[in-house]
């Protein structure tokens, strides 16, 4: 992992929207969680309306499928350190963490998680908003190996060998981006 000198970004992301997860995205996240044999999750979310609704949708779908949500932790887009929400999120001790949110808040929360907690990207799933290569670059792909998620269309993606890889769907070739 490249050393992070601070969880704070030098400037906020200039991209990203307040996206709410699609039904296909939520279904794909549940499939990924089940494939990892998760029984319980902790959900981390930004505080924007789209992020909060996505966290609610994921939690509801997970519990309807028989899973347990141990914690739902939110974080601000801007703040002094993110230490308190990062500690609560990491300390939940789930089989799997699930994250959603806007680029700036997610990146700063994730940088704090990497810097100060035992959180692991290998045990984390994320939404399409986070799977944007520009968002992942705010933390650095080298720091996120093992992080996986789903696109809005339900296609799985994964950070592997410092590259973003999307699974091949019947309509489109697989893609790989390095960062």
């Amino acid at each position: 992992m490249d050393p992070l000198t601070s969880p704070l970004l030098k400037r906020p992301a200039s991209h990203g929207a307040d996206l709410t997860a699609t039904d296909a995205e939520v279904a794909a996240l549940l499939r990924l969680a089940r494939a990892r044999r998760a029984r319980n999750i902790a959900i981390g979310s930004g505080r924007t309306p789209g992020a909060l609704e996505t966290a609610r949708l994921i939690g509801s779908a997970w519990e309807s499928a028989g899973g347990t949500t141990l914690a739902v932790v939110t974080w601000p887009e801007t703040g002094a350190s993110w230490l308190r929400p990062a500690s609560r999120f990491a300390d939940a001790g789930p089989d799997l963490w699930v994250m959603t949110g806007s680029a700036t808040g997610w990146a700063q929360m994730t940088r704090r998680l990497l810097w100060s907690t035992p959180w692991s990207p290998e045990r984390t799933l994320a939404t399409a908003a986070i799977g944007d290569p520009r968002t992942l670059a705010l933390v650095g792909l080298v720091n996120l190996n093992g992080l996986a998620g789903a696109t809005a269309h339900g296609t799985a993606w994964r950070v592997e060998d410092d590259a973003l890889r999307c699974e091949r769907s019947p309509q489109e070739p697989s893609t790989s981006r390095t960062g």
Side-chain angles (χ1 to χ4, degrees):
M1 175 173 79
D2 287 340
L4 298 174
T5 57
S6 167
L8 296 174
L9 297 172
K10 293 186 187 332
R11 62 184 160 271
S14 59
H15 69 280
D18 185 24
L19 303 176
T20 300
T22 64
D23 291 343
E25 185 178 347
V26 172
L29 288 168
L30 266 59
R31 279 193 308 275
L32 290 169
R34 289 291 182 208
R36 292 180 179 206
R37 294 179 163 67
R39 292 177 312 273
N40 57 64
I41 63 172
I43 301 170
S45 162
R47 294 180 183 159
T48 62
L52 292 170
E53 178 62 9
T54 294
R56 188 195 68 72
L57 290 169
I58 292 168
S60 177
W62 181 251
E63 290 179 3
S64 291
T68 301
T69 302
L70 298 177
V72 177
V73 176
T74 65
W75 58 77
E77 281 298 294
T78 59
S81 81
W82 288 266
L83 182 57
R84 196 168 291 154
S87 296
R88 285 194 354 259
F89 188 57
D91 291 347
D95 295 329
L96 200 61
W97 288 287
V98 181
M99 299 178 83
T100 188
S102 299
T104 299
W106 174 81
Q108 294 180 131
M109 173 68 166
T110 300
R111 290 165 62 100
R112 174 53 80 179
L113 285 164
L114 288 164
W115 206 30
S116 304
T117 74
W119 171 83
S120 168
E122 294 89 3
R123 289 181 39 214
T124 306
L125 297 178
T127 59
I130 293 169
D132 182 310
R134 297 168 297 174
T135 301
L136 295 169
L138 295 171
V139 176
L141 291 176
V142 69
N143 299 311
L144 297 171
N145 280 311
L147 179 69
T151 68
H153 299 292
T155 303
W157 57 263
R158 181 178 180 85
V159 178
E160 186 176 285
D161 299 325
D162 307 335
L164 176 60
R165 304 187 191 287
C166 291
E167 82 178 14
R168 188 175 292 196
S169 72
Q171 294 82 15
E172 51 188 293
S174 66
T175 58
S176 177
R177 297 184 179 113
T178 57

